[in-house]
Amino acid sequence: MGRRRSSPVSDLLVWVRRQSMRVKISFGAVLALCALITFKFTIEDHNYFFIASEAVHAAGIIVLLYKLTTKKTCSGLSLRSQELTALSVATRLICSTLIEGDIHTVLDFTTLMATTWVMYMIRFKLKSTYIKELDNLALYYVVVPCAILAILLHPYTIHFRLTRVLWAFGVYLESVSVLPQLRLMQNAKMIEPFTAHYVFALGVARFLSCAHWIIQIYETRGKYLFLLGNGYLWFLAAFLSEVVQTSILADFCYYYIKCFMQGQLIVKMPV
């Protein structure tokens, strides 16, 4: 039998794997820049970024629901990450109801209900498969700094101050809510497919949301960060929160794509 020819994609992946970490980071940055340029010239309504981000996030939750209902196991899932997500979405839902009351409120309510159900399954129905000893990131290390930052940096609008502080708290908490899940995966070293799909969906969702910010900042020549007068630091802090969350998930997304292109069903995390 003749030797099977390698595809250009396979050749590219082989080349990337042989490069130094600096080259890999530069290559990823170029790809992200190309995606941003494509988005800028093909998408006119920037609200589509948020809608797409919510849709991808919902797809990730659907993957979780499928795993929990068909596989009857929550192995590899972080209950603490789900609790942080529920807290951030609940906070955002309260503020959205009081301030906006639009389609985002409906999406937040749906996300909160689905996340609450996932928490219920992990804590009660599938408790025997939950690996508690690996899910060991203390929540106060995440919640307390977010609360302090929200008190110091929040939007300056006509709404009650408590509402504004809660909104900022939800934004900051969402940006780091995935940390317990990533900590669990680092402890486990190997991640089964459904959990990996879910976390990858979170990474894609955050990239789309971050793309909205970057394009808005570019088109307004930086003025987008200073729209709220005395509360200008809030927009900057919110943007940095998006960047932090995207960066946190970028490393996992790299290993996810690497394992997927190699035909591996299980994602192997670096030690």
Side-chain angles (χ1 to χ4, degrees), residues 32 35-36 39 49 52-61 174-175 177-179 181-182 185 194-212 241-257:
L36 289 175
F39 290 155
F49 285 105
S53 176
E54 292 291 341
V56 174
H57 189 182
I61 294 178
E174 182 186 24
S175 67
S177 61
V178 75
L179 285 178
Q181 180 65 59
L182 294 179
M185 294 190 301
F194 290 105
T195 302
H197 298 336
Y198 165 69
V199 179
F200 180 73
L202 293 182
V204 174
R206 293 317 345 135
F207 174 76
L208 291 172
S209 183
C210 192
H212 168 267
S241 297
E242 289 287 353
V243 173
V244 167
Q245 189 173 16
T246 304
S247 302
I248 289 173
L249 288 165
D251 183 62
F252 172 80
C253 290
Y254 164 76
Y255 288 102
Y256 176 91
I257 295 174

Side-chain angles (χ1 to χ4, degrees), residues 147-236:
I148 296 175
L149 188 59
I151 295 173
L152 298 176
L153 295 176
H154 54 267
Y156 282 65
T157 63
I158 61 174
H159 305 92
F160 291 112
R161 184 182 181 186
L162 178 60
T163 304
R164 293 183 273 125
V165 171
L166 286 176
W167 183 273
F169 175 71
V171 170
Y172 299 145
L173 189 61
E174 182 186 24
S175 67
V176 292
S177 61
V178 75
L179 285 178
Q181 180 65 59
L182 294 179
R183 176 67 175 272
L184 186 150
M185 294 190 301
Q186 287 284 353
N187 292 335
K189 301 297 186 295
M190 300 181 68
I191 311 303
E192 55 82 34
F194 290 105
T195 302
H197 298 336
Y198 165 69
V199 179
F200 180 73
L202 293 182
V204 174
R206 293 317 345 135
F207 174 76
L208 291 172
S209 183
C210 192
H212 168 267
W213 277 91
I214 294 175
I215 293 176
Q216 287 283 69
I217 294 171
Y218 172 79
E219 291 187 346
T220 60
R221 297 182 180 180
K223 295 180 181 179
Y224 190 71
L225 294 176
F226 305 92
L227 294 180
L228 294 183
N230 292 332
Y232 65 91
L233 286 179
W234 152 248
F235 264 39
L236 180 60

